Every structure is written in structure tokens, then in C-alpha cells.
Amino acid sequence: MARQIRFLNTLSRRTETFEPLDDAHVRMYTCGPTVYNFAHIGNLRTFLFEDVLRRTLQAFGYRVTQVMNLTDIDDKTIKGAAAEGVSLREFTDRYVQAFFEDLRTLRVQRAEHYPRATDFIPEMVALVQRLTERGYTYVQDGSTYFRIAAFPSYGKLSGIDLNQVRPGARVDADEYEKEDVRDFVLWKASKDGEPAWDSRLGRGRPGWHLECSAMAMTLLGESFDIHTGAVDNIFPHHENEIAQSEAATGKAFVHTWLHAEHLIVEGQKMAKSLGNFFTLRDLLAQGHNPLAIRYLLISVPYRQKLNFTFDGLHAAQAAIERIENTLRRLAHTPAVTGAGALAAAAIEEFESEFDAGLADDLNTARGLGALHVLLTRINQALDGEGITGAMRERLQAAMAHMDDVMGIVPSGTRVATGDEAEIEALIAERVAARAARAFARADAIRGELAARGIVLEDTPHGTVWRRQR
Ligand code: AMP
Ligand code: ZN
């Protein structure tokens, strides 16, 4: 039995207990990047929210089938390829590769499907034909448009006011504002210098909104569980996806819609067009730790704006080091026998609070708050009477569960790797040197480790070490 989770559904505007349509199998569609540039950390905040969503569902016992599209044909990719004089495929391939690298760097789990829009043109054409058969389209100057007046529930996701809409007024751009709600383009007549496909709709190319409806329904079915994006996707993109899909099938398209709030910088949305953005590469080049970036971007619940600052990034780095040092200390401090200072109740309290936070519309702040309380208790116990072997194992299991969802524990900490064996050999040599009263050698080893940023602490249980901040 999968565990219960509650989501604030953008469509119903209510917090609901989630129930997949098909038992414990969750089918979800997460709008992917437009591959015309490197993703900025605002985009990545949204992709990380989706990663935490996926990981939480899995940790709660659901099977997840996730689709993330790659928008490789739209106004922006066409413009970018033309500016460089290369083919659309060559241009977008570069950013598809970069995107996957970013996901790996940030430990984002892979989705089951990454469809590229240009690989689904026949499905898109078929969807428009279905809409035409049902009377939802019209053709103007070789382009096919969706007639929103024919779909009475248009606006149900975004709550736009249809009264101001002039019937027959059209918009061709992929992106436009709420004030500009009009019949939108499904299939655009070919223009000079633009990629185009021959189809029964005439020579042309798909509009952006059509792409997601066609790929989602092809890979997940006509009705599925969760669809996500950031708040700027609500209108027009997701509103149009609902209209196209439901008008074609007569069925509910998606049950639960989840939208992440924006990453902002000095009060403004981080956006390519505003020039106020950092890519992941920018931050890595400045020496920032990918895990700290991940921590920062998931630390604020997705329905709240996240204000990006370097102070926030430094605080996230401190949190990562605190996790690393505590777990290392826990692993390397000899266990005590008897009662020990840490009771099972403290771990149970952490586990239930962590899961309760996530079950409450993915409240990551609550989960991380519980984590820090536990870290304090572990350190207090290690400073005091110590921890028993059984408790240590319970703690390590609890941390592994936490990390399955959050993905923030430095990899060396779960299992000793890298330079750790070497550090420990030096510490053992130092202990032996001290026992043999070879203090000069012992001090030299301490100095050598200090130069590498390793701090030693001699405790009643032996020598423990941690990396210096
Ligand atoms: P794009 O590559 O422009 O299609 O954007 C990819 C995803 O990032 C979309 O779901 C956008 O809504 C989302 N997004 C864009 N800007 C931000 C931001 N500042 N904060 C969070 N998400 C964003
Ligand atoms: Zn989409």
C-alpha cells in the first residue's frame, strides 16, 4: 500500500488527497526545457521540484512513469538556429546534451521518456485532424487555429475572463499574456527559412502547445494523473493543452496540476529575457558545490517564491557540510554498549516529521527542519555518552531514506571512498606514533591533514575527523 500524500491542485484550487487513476502507478508529464540555450537555475528549480516529487512518490510506494519533453521546435529554437546558420537538429542537440549534463550534476533522476517534439509530428497532425473532425478548428492563411469559443470550459485552469475575448481574433506566437487571450495556432503555415513538414494540414510546423498535448497523450494515455510546470506555464501553455486534449477526446486530460513558483532575483523573475540569470555552469565556475545548489533550490516549498542570494547559497553549503561531518562522525565514532545517549524515539520522531512534511504538498522546508533537529541530537549524543551500534544502524537507514528523496548527502559519506581510506590510515599512524611517544611525527601528520582541510578531534572514543568549511 502506497502512503498518502496531499497536493494543492491548481485546477481545483484545493488541497486534495492524491489517488492515481491506475492503482499505485503514477503517470506524470513534466514540461521540459526549450533547448535553445543553457538552462538557468530558475528553470532548474522547477526541474528539481519535479525530481523531489518523483522521488517522494517512489519513497511512498508508488511506481512512477514520467515524461519530460524536449521542446526542440518553437519560435525560440528556430530563431537560434537561424542566427547561427546551422540546422535545427544540430543547434538543439547541443543544448539537449548540456541539459542532461546539468541534470546529472544536480542528481536529478532520469525520467522514463524524453520525447523530442520533432519526433512526434505525425501524432501532432493526427490530433489536429481529430479536433477538426469535432469542429474545434479553422484555417486562416494556411495556418490552423483552435476556436476557443467552441470550448466552453476554456479558462478553467487559469481563471481568465473570457468576456473580453473577441471571437475570431488570433495569436500566432507561442508565448503571450493573459490580456491577449485569443484563438491560438495549432499548425503554422510554413514560412521562408523555417523548418516545415508536409502534412494533411499543409506544409508547416506545430505550435508549442500542441506538442505537449500530443506527446503526453501518446506516451501516457488520454487521461493521466499529474502534470507540472512553473506558474508561467499555467497560461497560456497548460490552458491550451487542456483545451486541445479535452476537446479531442471528450475526457478529462489530467487530474492533478502542480505549478512551482518562480526563482526570483531582487524581486524579479529570473529570466533569460531580463538578463538577470545564472546558469548552473556560472555557479560551478565560481567554485560552488552542486549539492549546495541542489539543497538551496529544493529547500523552499515549491509553491513559494524562492529569492536567490549568495548568502542563501553559502548557508546551503554550510548545511551540506553539517550533514557530511555529522554522518562521518557517526560512522567513525566507536559504538558504545548499554543504553547510549540517543533513543529510538528521536529517530522515529524524525522519520514521521520528515514524511509528514513531504506528504503535506511536498513541504521540503519541514522535512529539512526535522533533519537539522536530528543532526543536533546526533552531535549531542556523540559529545556525551555515545551511540549504540543498533542506533547507529537505525540512523544510517533513516538518513538513507531522507537522501532517497532529497539527494543531498555527499557521496563519500554514505560509503567511504576517495581519499577517506588514506586519511584514516594517516590517523591510525598518528595514533600509533603517539602511543610510541613519537610526538614530532604525530604533530607532522596533524599538520599535513590540516593543510588538506581535515580537522582532527581527540575524543574519549578515539580520534574523529571532519572536513573544514
Ligand atoms: P523553458 O526552457 O523556457 O521552456 O523553461 C523551462 C521551465 O522552467 C518551464 O517550466 C518554465 O516555466 C520554468 N521557469 C522559467 N523561469 C523560471 C524561474 N525564474 N523560476 C522557476 N521556473 C522557471
Ligand atoms: Zn509543455
Side-chain angles (χ1 to χ4, degrees), residues 29-32 69 71 208-209 211-213 215 227-228 233 237-238 241:
Y29 189 89
T30 48
C31 280
N69 65 294
T71 302
W208 171 40
H209 315 297
E211 299 175 8
C212 280
S213 283
M215 291 186 280
H227 196 314
T228 69
N233 291 144
H237 187 48
H238 290 164
E241 275 190 52

Side-chain angles (χ1 to χ4, degrees), residues 264-276:
I264 56 171
V265 199
E266 285 157 16
Q268 273 191 310
K269 175 187 170 191
M270 181 174 281
K272 304 251 169 66
S273 55
L274 297 174
N276 62 350

